[in-house]
């Protein structure tokens, strides 16, 4: 069995509109300790991440504590909305969940985001078969991954987790077959 712990990043600085360099807020830096505490007993063999700063910072605290490196995987990045910042994210997001092929010029659809992330997940399963892997991720990318294995996960589910940062989803695989998906709210016992 292979266990993948996808970790949606902690609270980012939304004043930084550059997707790649958007860092964590002081609260996000503090909350990533919840991720470290959660992962500490999981016998993690590797730490991977989206190349986006907020995802790396969220898992780096754990990796540093365990003297592990964070390997960035370009294909685990968040979906590209378009070349700029959009003000009505909720309306845009709903349109994407209603039509998996909807995208703005220069952006990515949920289908494209899902296909890219699933390809990276499949490669991770091959590279780390039988291992426990932590992966720094994003809300939409992670939701699209869940939807791939559980098509009932849709916009309403995405809306429920949109402000939950950090957030962990445990996937258990036998070979390439997903046998379990378990969302974990790190704030429940805080």
């Amino acid at each position: 069995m292979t266990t993948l712990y996808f970790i949606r990043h902690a609270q980012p600085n939304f004043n930084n509109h550059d997707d790649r360099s958007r860092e964590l807020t002081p609260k996000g830096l503090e909350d990533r300790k919840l991720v470290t505490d959660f992962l500490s007993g999981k016998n993690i063999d590797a730490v991977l991440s989206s190349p986006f700063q907020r995802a790396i910072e969220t898992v780096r605290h754990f990796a540093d504590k365990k003297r592990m490196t964070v390997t960035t995987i370009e294909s685990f990045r968040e979906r590209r909305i378009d070349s700029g910042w959009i003000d009505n994210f909720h309306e845009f997001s709903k349109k994407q969940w209603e039509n998996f092929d909807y995208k703005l010029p220069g952006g990515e659809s949920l289908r494209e985001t899902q296909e890219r992330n699933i390809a990276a997940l499949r490669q991770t399963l091959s590279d780390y078969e039988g291992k426990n892997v932590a992966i720094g991720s994003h809300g939409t990318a992670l939701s699209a991954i869940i939807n791939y294995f559980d098509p009932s996960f849709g916009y309403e589910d995405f809306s429920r987790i949109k402000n939950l940062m950090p957030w962990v989803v445990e996937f258990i695989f036998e070979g390439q077959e997903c046998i379990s998906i378990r969302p974990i709210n790190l704030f429940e016992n805080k």
Side-chain angles (χ1 to χ4, degrees):
M1 284 196 310
T2 305
T3 303
L4 305 181
Y5 296 99
F6 277 87
I7 298 115
R8 189 221 185 152
H9 60 77
Q11 185 184 74
N13 174 12
F14 288 112
N15 293 322
N16 179 351
H17 292 181
D18 179 65
D19 225 13
R20 284 195 179 264
S21 69
R22 187 174 307 130
E23 72 283 5
L24 297 180
T25 63
K27 178 183 182 344
L29 291 169
E30 184 65 27
D31 287 347
R32 70 187 181 162
K33 293 175 184 172
L34 295 169
V35 173
T36 298
D37 291 344
F38 172 79
L39 292 175
S40 288
K42 301 295 186 269
N43 298 316
I44 299 299
D45 297 295
V47 181
L48 312 179
S49 181
S50 152
F52 290 11
Q53 188 63 30
R54 60 195 181 272
I56 295 168
E57 286 182 356
T58 299
V59 295
R60 179 177 285 140
H61 186 263
F62 168 78
D64 287 351
K65 213 169 179 184
K66 296 293 184 176
R67 296 196 166 125
M68 300 174 80
T69 58
V70 177
T71 302
T72 58
I73 308 291
E74 182 67 28
S75 292
F76 277 136
R77 71 186 184 277
E78 182 62 295
R79 63 97 176 74
R80 187 176 57 254
I81 294 175
D82 72 3
S83 57
W85 185 261
I86 62 168
D87 291 322
N88 195 339
F89 176 77
H90 303 294
E91 182 180 312
F92 165 76
S93 186
K94 188 169 187 192
K95 281 182 184 177
Q96 282 208 306
W97 281 96
E98 289 170 351
N99 176 0
F100 253 50
D101 294 310
Y102 175 77
K103 63 182 175 180
L104 297 175
E108 288 180 293
S109 69
L110 286 184
R111 186 174 322 283
E112 291 167 324
T113 302
Q114 184 183 68
E115 288 172 355
R116 177 173 40 76
N117 274 271
I118 292 298
L121 181 152
R122 296 280 185 214
Q123 186 62 53
T124 299
L125 289 172
S126 292
D127 293 345
Y128 298 95
E129 186 175 354
K131 306 285 185 185
N132 298 325
V133 182
I135 304 168
S137 188
H138 304 273
T140 302
L142 179 50
S143 294
I145 292 169
I146 296 169
N147 171 270
Y148 178 84
F149 295 107
D150 177 7
S152 72
F153 188 97
Y155 178 73
E156 296 304 320
D157 302 293
F158 172 75
S159 293
R160 278 194 287 279
I161 62 96
K162 71 181 175 195
N163 294 317
L164 193 54
M165 297 176 265
W167 183 55
V168 177
V169 180
E170 174 195 76
F171 292 82
I172 298 175
F173 290 85
E174 284 186 4
Q176 294 278 326
E177 181 186 352
C178 182
I179 60 170
S180 172
I181 301 173
R182 183 173 68 106
I184 299 153
N185 181 346
L186 300 176
F187 295 96
E188 281 184 341
N189 297 320
K190 187 176 175 190

